[in-house]
Amino acid sequence: MDVLLRIQGLAKSFTLHTQGGVRIQALAHLDLEVSAGDCLALVGSSGAGKSSLLRCLTGNYLPDGGSIRVRHDDDWIELVGAKPQTVLELRRRTIGYVSQFLRVIPRIPTLDLVIEPAVAGGAGRPEAEARARRLLQHLNLPERLWSLAPATFSGGEQQRVNIARAFAHPYPLLLLDEPTASLDAENRKAVIDLIEDARRKGAAIVGIFHDAETRSAVATREISLVEGRAAA
Amino acid sequence: MTAANPLLQVQGLTKRYGDRIGCAGVSFDLYPGEVIGVVGESGSGKTTLLNCLSAQLEPSEGSVIYDSRSKGPLELYSLSEAERRLLLRSEWGLVRQNPRDGLRMGVSAGANVGERMMAVGARHYGEIRGRAGHWLQQLEIDAERIDDRPATFSGGMQQRLQIARNLVTEPRLVFMDEPTGGLDVSVQARLLDLLRGLVRDLGLACILVTHDLGVVRLLSHRLLVMQKGRVVEQGLTDQVLDDPQHPYSQMLVSSILPV
């Protein structure tokens, strides 16, 4: 299958200047390739660098060195050292990311929040809205909530809005940070179906799935991280 | 990957007040449709920088090149005072922290908006009033208030009126100095929501000076962090806020009170 993501020698550390300059090595010497149709599960104990890796891959964390190359249309784009405009362009059409928390502007209705990434990715307004409605329906979010801003929603409801946003555009590369963390069995199943569907259509997926059932349902392979390095 | 030319190119911009530094060695490009947030504590040089960029304060060194709609790239401080003022009226907007500084308090809301159109040549009364009404509505100001003076408006409404006054001439670049500064949080959220929609729909480029990191997270694509007149860090907004590199940026981010 086509390789969509190539990571070589990735390193990331944090220097905490406000805490006496303590240095934390989050990732080191990491090499990875992920192809279309792959779903790679990152496993490892808390603090092993799983979330840091996903954040480097979406341009949210600044790596110290190494290379992250992403297929964007027919080009390979280097993410390490990329200009902000390049990162934003990649996020619009190529890289989708589900974080553990929903972070959006207050007061915007849920439906609009899900339409937004579809429009940014290039869909026309009617198509984007149709997609958003389908997704919210699929994720069992009651229709009476769609016109409300999600600030007052439960954790599980907010998480589903987050997931709907990440699937509103067919991103070739999907990064999922515990997408099913606060969901019940029925909604977990709905998310698993979305992930499986995207993977079968050729997305390359990297994810952290705490829950073993979800992991075994979606992952095509696993990599274990220990102190920021790939364990054998 | 960005095909367009920068709207604003800033090179080595420095402003000294005697032997004190207002801002020093500031360089960046601003692209069409892009929002850049400038953050830092009071006294870090944010407002000095904004004034130098918006042709209100002559820098001691450095250049600011603006790609104008009518004449292509212009070096701001090689222009005459009159030419700079024309730019400010016709292609730019300037939203001040205190709406009273950006509005004329003695004339009606409609006149505050209409005046800007007349300054760039509009003469037809019906058309001016019609467009003024349209922009008041865009900023969620009730059409019935068009003949009222801004002094009778709440702080949030005054700020929205100031923004309407700036947007009516369809600027390509808007400078904002703490636009949500003196407002209640609920009013702030409404204004942010409005601003974000307008910036996106009109393709506005914007330089937004604020000390509120929550505001820049929601509105700006990129951030400049200023300390003692210098840009100590710049980058993608969420990257600078979530993974700040410079000790000063780390201090700013870690000082936010959790809600």
Side-chain angles (χ1 to χ4, degrees):
Chain A
M1 275 300 240
D2 278 0
V3 177
L4 298 186
L5 171 69
R6 252 192 198 115
I7 303 172
Q8 284 170 327
L10 185 66
K12 170 65 191 163
S13 66
F14 298 93
T15 305
L16 309 179
H17 295 286
T18 55
Q19 295 175 57
V22 175
R23 193 159 169 280
I24 297 168
Q25 191 72 42
L27 298 169
H29 307 296
L30 199 67
D31 299 319
L32 269 182
E33 275 190 4
V34 188
S35 301
D38 264 353
C39 178
L40 174 66
L42 306 176
V43 295
S45 55
S46 169
K50 306 185 297 293
S51 286
S52 292
L53 173 57
L54 290 189
R55 284 169 175 259
C56 286
L57 297 181
T58 185
N60 179 238
Y61 281 179
L62 210 60
D64 303 344
S67 161
I68 299 171
R69 278 178 301 154
V70 178
R71 256 276 283 285
H72 179 65
D73 299 334
D74 291 328
D75 298 322
W76 281 97
I77 306 286
E78 174 63 62
L79 203 57
V80 177
K83 294 202 299 185
Q85 291 87 351
T86 305
V87 179
L88 290 175
E89 168 64 17
L90 285 171
R91 287 182 189 173
R92 256 190 298 278
R93 292 197 291 118
T94 296
I95 304 176
Y97 171 59
V98 176
S99 67
Q100 299 176 56
F101 309 98
L102 179 66
R103 202 172 226 160
V104 291
I105 239 180
R107 295 204 335 146
I108 298 186
T110 295
L111 187 65
D112 290 344
L113 287 173
V114 183
I115 290 173
E116 190 186 28
V119 170
R125 175 86 200 182
E127 160 65 17
E129 181 169 343
R131 248 187 248 166
R133 289 181 174 276
R134 256 196 323 269
L135 278 165
L136 292 172
Q137 195 106 54
H138 176 80
L139 290 164
N140 306 310
L141 202 78
E143 193 164 349
R144 65 190 153 77
L145 298 181
W146 297 2
S147 58
L148 305 178
T152 55
F153 291 6
S154 73
E157 287 163 347
Q158 292 198 5
Q159 182 63 345
R160 280 176 280 156
V161 177
N162 228 357
I163 290 163
R165 278 164 60 83
F167 286 90
H169 174 78
Y171 299 101
L173 177 59
L174 269 173
L175 311 170
L176 309 174
D177 195 342
E178 304 223 24
T180 54
S182 38
L183 303 183
D184 58 25
E186 185 195 356
N187 288 312
R188 247 192 337 258
K189 177 75 175 68
V191 174
I192 290 172
D193 290 345
L194 282 179
I195 298 172
E196 263 301 283
D197 184 51
R199 192 187 64 75
R200 264 191 248 109
K201 287 178 179 155
I205 301 169
V206 185
I208 302 167
F209 311 99
H210 224 66
D211 143 64
E213 185 200 330
T214 307
R215 190 163 67 236
S216 64
V218 300
T220 57
R221 53 196 182 103
E222 287 187 6
I223 181 174
S224 173
L225 291 182
V226 177
E227 292 179 1
R229 294 163 191 256
Chain B
M1 212 174 306
T2 23
N5 292 324
L7 197 58
L8 204 64
Q9 297 174 65
V10 183
Q11 269 303 326
L13 201 69
T14 299
K15 174 68 189 174
R16 290 190 205 87
Y17 300 102
D19 51 10
R20 224 162 40 77
I21 285 175
C23 64
V26 178
S27 301
F28 67 91
D29 290 338
L30 173 74
Y31 287 88
E34 193 178 34
V35 179
I36 291 188
V38 183
V39 299
E41 300 169 317
S42 344
S44 58
K46 306 187 296 284
T47 301
T48 298
L49 175 64
L50 190 83
N51 288 340
C52 288
L53 294 175
S54 56
Q56 302 179 85
L57 181 67
E58 181 141 10
S60 316
E61 278 166 40
S63 74
V64 181
I65 296 170
Y66 169 68
D67 189 8
S68 73
R69 186 151 40 196
S70 45
K71 293 181 189 146
L74 301 170
E75 154 58 62
L76 286 189
Y77 292 95
S78 326
L79 299 175
S80 70
E81 179 68 36
E83 287 169 313
R84 284 202 291 270
R85 273 207 307 266
L86 180 65
L87 266 188
L88 197 51
R89 277 203 309 270
S90 57
E91 301 200 15
W92 296 357
L94 176 62
V95 176
R96 296 172 194 275
Q97 175 173 6
N98 186 344
R100 288 161 186 276
D101 297 335
L103 289 172
R104 281 184 50 206
M105 302 305 286
V107 302
S108 71
N112 262 286
V113 179
E115 192 181 66
R116 284 272 298 192
M117 294 163 62
M118 290 169 71
V120 291
R123 288 294 171 263
H124 186 277
Y125 176 78
E127 196 185 306
I128 292 173
R129 196 172 162 90
R131 270 179 66 197
H134 166 79
W135 279 101
L136 291 181
Q137 204 179 11
Q138 287 288 297
L139 272 299
E140 300 179 4
I141 296 171
D142 198 338
E144 286 174 14
R145 305 293 303 268
I146 191 167
D147 295 316
D148 294 349
R149 291 181 184 197
T152 66
F153 288 8
S154 67
M157 271 176 81
Q158 286 179 1
Q159 195 54 295
R160 280 180 279 131
L161 177 62
Q162 191 192 184
I163 293 166
R165 174 179 159 96
N166 273 282
L167 294 185
V168 67
T169 49
E170 294 171 14
R172 312 162 74 201
L173 172 58
V174 178
F175 300 94
M176 298 196 196
D177 192 359
E178 303 276 7
T180 57
L183 305 175
D184 286 345
V185 241
S186 63
V187 180
Q188 266 192 29
R190 182 176 185 196
L191 189 65
L192 285 176
D193 178 10
L194 256 170
L195 279 176
R196 209 173 81 127
L198 288 168
V199 164
R200 190 189 49 213
D201 299 343
L202 305 174
L204 285 180
C206 192
I207 295 191
L208 168 69
V209 162
T210 179
H211 65 269
D212 190 332
L213 299 183
V215 168
V216 286
R217 187 184 281 277
L218 296 179
L219 282 182
S220 72
H221 301 107
R222 279 196 290 148
L223 269 193
L224 307 181
V225 181
M226 291 191 76
Q227 181 194 26
K228 295 178 188 163
R230 296 179 187 273
V231 174
V232 294
E233 179 164 357
Q234 56 174 304
L236 197 65
T237 298
D238 62 274
Q239 183 260 300
V240 174
L241 295 179
D242 293 339
D243 185 18
Q245 307 290 308
H246 191 273
Y248 180 73
S249 321
Q250 291 190 358
M251 194 278 288
L252 270 188
V253 170
S254 67
S255 307
I256 306 174
L257 296 172
V259 185

